[in-house]
């Protein structure tokens, strides 16, 4: 009986591991310590006073977004992408590719892609996003305010991100004054 229990436990652990590794989730909330332990000499800007840390399966997000149809194509073919919020939730968005560069420039820089969309559950929540050589960047506008998703450490990793309300970004620059 003891050997049977050991085999059952081992089989259960293997099954749980397989379920976790096959998960379609591309975002996973992280503690800041878990990120700083993985990326040396890097921290979020001191101008961001409150944020959540997330780990992203960047290549999976990128390949999913490449399936999005161009906003002007008929019929429009969106993809459903999950995006984190500063509250710790993950929100589903219908995303489309958005042409922001001239066709000539887009040909010259095929790695730069722009996207737009709306939350599936609340069409008034909008997203503008892009993927470039530094990672994924997004600005989301909702009735609760605007939030951003940006690489935790630009040029060090495309797998870790900070997510924060725009109101939690405190600029250290003086406001514009046309009389100066």
């Amino acid at each position: 009986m003891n050997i049977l229990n050991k085999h059952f436990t081992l089989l259960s652990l293997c099954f749980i591991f397989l379920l976790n590794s096959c998960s379609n989730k591309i975002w996973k909330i992280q503690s800041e310590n878990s990120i700083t332990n993985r990326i040396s000499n890097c921290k979020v800007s001191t101008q961001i006073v409150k944020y959540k840390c997330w780990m992203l399966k960047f290549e999976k997000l990128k390949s999913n977004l490449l399936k999005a149809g161009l906003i002007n194509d008929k019929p429009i073919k969106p993809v459903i992408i999950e995006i984190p919020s500063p509250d710790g939730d993950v929100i589903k968005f219908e995303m489309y590719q958005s042409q922001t560069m001239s066709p000539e420039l887009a040909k010259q820089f095929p790695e730069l892609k722009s996207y737009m969309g709306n939350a599936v559950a609340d069409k008034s929540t909008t997203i503008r996003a892009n993927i470039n050589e530094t990672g994924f960047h997004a600005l989301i506008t909702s009735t609760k305010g605007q939030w951003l998703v940006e690489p935790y450490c630009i040029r060090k990793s495309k797998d870790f991100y900070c997510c924060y309300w725009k109101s939690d970004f405190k600029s250290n620059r003086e406001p514009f004054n046309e009389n100066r």
Side-chain angles (χ1 to χ4, degrees):
M1 186 75 175
N2 196 2
I3 290 177
L4 186 58
N5 281 342
K6 286 180 183 178
H7 286 300
F8 180 75
T9 303
L10 183 61
L11 186 61
S12 297
L13 288 173
C14 289
F15 181 71
I16 290 169
F17 175 76
L18 279 173
L19 276 178
N20 285 336
S21 65
C22 294
S23 171
N24 286 331
K25 300 286 183 194
I26 58 173
W27 294 97
K28 183 178 178 187
I29 200 159
Q30 300 285 294
S31 71
E32 188 162 12
N33 285 342
S34 72
I35 294 175
T36 56
N37 288 340
R38 295 178 192 177
I39 306 173
S40 60
N41 301 321
C42 189
K43 51 176 146 169
V44 169
S45 168
T46 56
Q47 293 175 289
I48 305 170
V49 295
K50 185 179 172 190
Y51 54 90
K52 295 270 191 229
C53 298
W54 294 83
M55 183 170 65
L56 168 67
K57 294 178 182 176
F58 178 76
E59 291 302 324
K60 186 164 178 85
L61 173 70
K62 187 176 173 181
S63 69
N64 287 344
L65 282 172
L66 286 174
K67 298 172 190 169
L70 194 58
I71 192 72
N72 297 330
D73 288 350
K74 301 292 183 218
I76 300 172
K77 181 186 159 204
V79 294
I80 306 295
I81 301 290
E82 292 183 333
I83 304 293
S85 81
D87 298 331
D89 300 322
V90 178
I91 298 169
K92 290 183 180 186
F93 284 84
E94 284 185 335
M95 303 281 287
Y96 306 91
Q97 214 177 120
S98 170
Q99 190 72 39
T100 56
M101 295 187 284
S102 69
E104 298 80 25
L105 206 52
K107 233 182 232 183
Q108 193 175 349
F109 298 99
E111 71 282 0
L112 305 179
K113 300 284 185 197
S114 296
Y115 301 90
M116 62 187 299
N118 299 82
V120 171
D122 177 9
K123 298 295 185 200
S124 69
T125 299
T126 61
I127 184 170
R128 296 293 291 191
N130 70 56
I131 288 187
N132 61 36
E133 70 278 354
T134 63
F136 176 76
H137 307 261
L139 172 66
I140 298 92
T141 302
S142 75
T143 55
K144 292 170 71 175
Q146 291 184 313
W147 77 85
L148 293 100
V149 179
E150 299 181 323
Y152 182 88
C153 192
I154 290 179
R155 307 224 188 276
K156 289 243 182 178
S157 174
K158 294 179 186 175
D159 297 323
F160 299 101
Y161 289 78
C162 62
C163 181
Y164 59 94
W165 292 107
K166 187 176 178 185
S167 60
D168 287 329
F169 181 86
K170 305 301 179 197
S171 177
N172 55 12
R173 288 197 264 164
E174 289 184 38
F176 175 74
N177 182 348
E178 62 186 55
N179 296 322
R180 270 196 245 170

